[in-house]
Amino acid sequence: MKILNYINGSLVEPIGGDWLDNINPATGQKYGVLPDSRAVDIQEAVKAASAAFPEWSALTQAQRSNYLLKIADLIEANKDRLALAETNDNGKPLSLSQRMDIPRAADNFRFYATAALHLHSETYDMGEAGFNYVLNKPIGVAGLISPWNLPLYLFTWKIAPALAVGNTVVAKPSEITPATAFLLAELAIEAELPPGVLNIVFGTGVHAGQALVENPHVPVISFTGGTETGKTLAKTAAPMFKKLSLELGGKNPNIIFADCDYDLMLKTTVASSFTNQGQICLCGSRILVEKSLYSRFLSDFSQQVSAMKVGDPLEKETRVGAIVSQAQYEKVLKYLSLAREEGGKIETGGKPLYDVNERCAKGWFIAPTIITGLGPECRTNQEEIFGPVVTIQSFETEEEALTLANDSKYGLSATVWTNDLKRAHRVSAKIESGIIWVNCWLVRDLRTPFGGMKASGIGREGGFEALKFFTETRNICIQL
Ligand code: NAD
């Protein structure tokens, strides 16, 4: 597969003629190339997006929404092709791509196409003094940068609201998982989206990503990725006074009280720990269990996790696929060594797997891993590993559970398991996380705001928040 940049409505090669390899993590083999774009390619894309802005922003809301609905339909019509492309890029089970990522990408376009129809702003009648109202206007060219873990899902989660309210877009997907973004470009062409409205430029963070953030004609940046990258971005964007949203890393606690619905908790905790090889920013990586339940939980959880089928992502029964890249694979293995050095006990997993099948003999697979015996201060419990690795700690009181949960520089998400209604509300209000699930995981109404606290980011995406983020407000006061 030869991936091309999508600039001004056309698929084009990178101006400098540089290319990157696209590697399938399940086989470790190169299966295509993508542009290694530089500042000149970004400049072309920004030029096209700036030229398209006056007309796109002047369309009626219904006209813009119709384009987005057409793209949603095309994603659905091409769901099998998209799911396969994503699995080959990312290593996640094909069944997961089919069930979660691709339907959600279509939902993102459909949700924002319709939500934007209902965006409203405030108006206040000041009596004889006149009236005061707020206008929400599109900002201009939006720069959107996304990671590799949910490639199309997170890419479209930014593109759809930015376009819906009248901005034009230059988007850069992760260089590790470019294929679905390229297919999206083809679908945008098929939907006859006007040239320049959406531009997709492929390349690395240091070259293409940095050039996009630095470009003075891109006044708004929405970024999802690692906390360290977020810091670099903020340093570039802040002195230019760009509007900035940062969705960053996490080290999410999963707090299990003894009075929970045990079977549901166990089944969901297996999923919340290891779905997508633990490479969802919302996976619970620190499991905190009430002491009276600890032994039973450890035994049942270890048994279920060691029975999970790690395998070829293309096979139906596979529950855990490949780690996304060699670099990420080596990073996870380093953390497993660190956990051992810190005195952790590997209850199950803890090693790479080479015997998945012949096709995957050179792929990057790691057995789902449970670690016990480490205190909250250990690096294993403080740093984001972003792989199929969880730790378990025990607590005796609600206060102790909260102290452990909040003992982190991150604050993205948390899960609480209890059947005590008052405790559910009390604990949820005290956890320092942007999203808290009680007796469930990864369930969310797209109308609600999403985002992290502390080192997990600034700003909120989702719902009307995202539509407002991509607008500038003008406060207009008229004296009659
Ligand atoms: P990353 O930070 O390495 O890369 C993310 C994107 O930023 C990529 O497109 C990359 O090319 C680009 N980039 C890198 N350096 C850049 C720079 N200097 N300027 C501009 N762009 C640059 O992250 P990753 O490894 O792709 O993704 C994993 C991380 O993303 C994890 O930390 C995970 O927790 C986080 N994440 C967070 C959320 C959330 O909603 N909070 C969702 C998914 C993933």
Side-chain angles (χ1 to χ4, degrees), residues 20-174:
L20 299 164
D21 289 343
N22 194 14
I23 298 187
N24 181 335
T27 62
Q29 305 296 314
K30 169 178 165 179
Y31 80 106
V33 290
L34 64 141
D36 185 2
S37 305
R38 306 297 163 110
V40 280
D41 302 288
I42 292 286
Q43 275 158 19
E44 284 302 301
V46 173
K47 216 171 15 164
S50 302
F53 178 69
E55 239 175 83
W56 178 251
S57 57
L59 291 182
T60 64
Q61 188 55 59
Q63 284 170 320
R64 280 196 298 268
S65 290
N66 283 339
Y67 280 110
L68 301 195
L69 291 171
K70 219 161 155 186
I71 295 175
D73 289 344
L74 285 168
I75 291 175
E76 267 162 10
N78 287 275
K79 61 181 189 316
D80 293 337
R81 205 154 66 97
L82 286 160
L84 184 61
E86 183 164 272
T87 290
N88 286 337
D89 260 8
N90 175 278
K92 68 178 65 187
L94 181 60
S95 58
L96 182 64
S97 250
Q98 287 167 331
R99 192 177 74 243
M100 182 175 82
D101 295 69
I102 307 305
R104 173 60 190 271
D107 283 354
N108 287 342
F109 273 102
R110 194 155 284 131
F111 174 80
Y112 280 111
T114 51
L117 293 170
H118 305 281
L119 186 64
H120 59 272
S121 62
E122 295 162 82
T123 305
Y124 297 101
D125 180 354
M126 299 188 299
E128 289 190 357
F131 68 98
N132 202 168
Y133 64 97
V134 176
L135 266 190
N136 291 316
K137 303 292 273 180
I139 305 172
V141 180
L144 313 179
I145 300 175
S146 60
W148 47 257
N149 63 329
L150 304 167
L152 192 62
Y153 175 146
L154 291 174
F155 201 49
T156 53
W157 181 235
K158 295 182 185 300
I159 291 172
L163 292 181
V165 288
N167 301 278
T168 53
V169 163
V170 177
K172 194 205 85 65
S174 169

Side-chain angles (χ1 to χ4, degrees), residues 195-210:
V197 167
L198 171 63
N199 303 272
I200 301 177
V201 182
F202 297 88
T204 62
V206 278
H207 291 133
Q210 184 70 25

Side-chain angles (χ1 to χ4, degrees), residues 146-148 172 175 205 209-210 223-226 229 247-249 281 384:
S146 60
W148 47 257
K172 194 205 85 65
E175 62 274 32
Q210 184 70 25
F223 169 81
T224 300
T229 316
E247 295 292 346
L248 309 176
C281 54
E384 185 187 45

Side-chain angles (χ1 to χ4, degrees), residues 255-258 288-294 393-404 423:
I255 309 172
I256 300 167
F257 289 99
L288 312 174
V289 190
E290 191 164 352
K291 203 164 186 182
S292 58
L293 195 68
Y294 184 84
Q393 300 169 71
S394 71
F395 64 84
E396 291 193 58
T397 62
E398 189 177 303
E399 289 66 36
E400 195 188 348
L402 277 166
T403 304
L404 286 170
R423 173 154 66 194

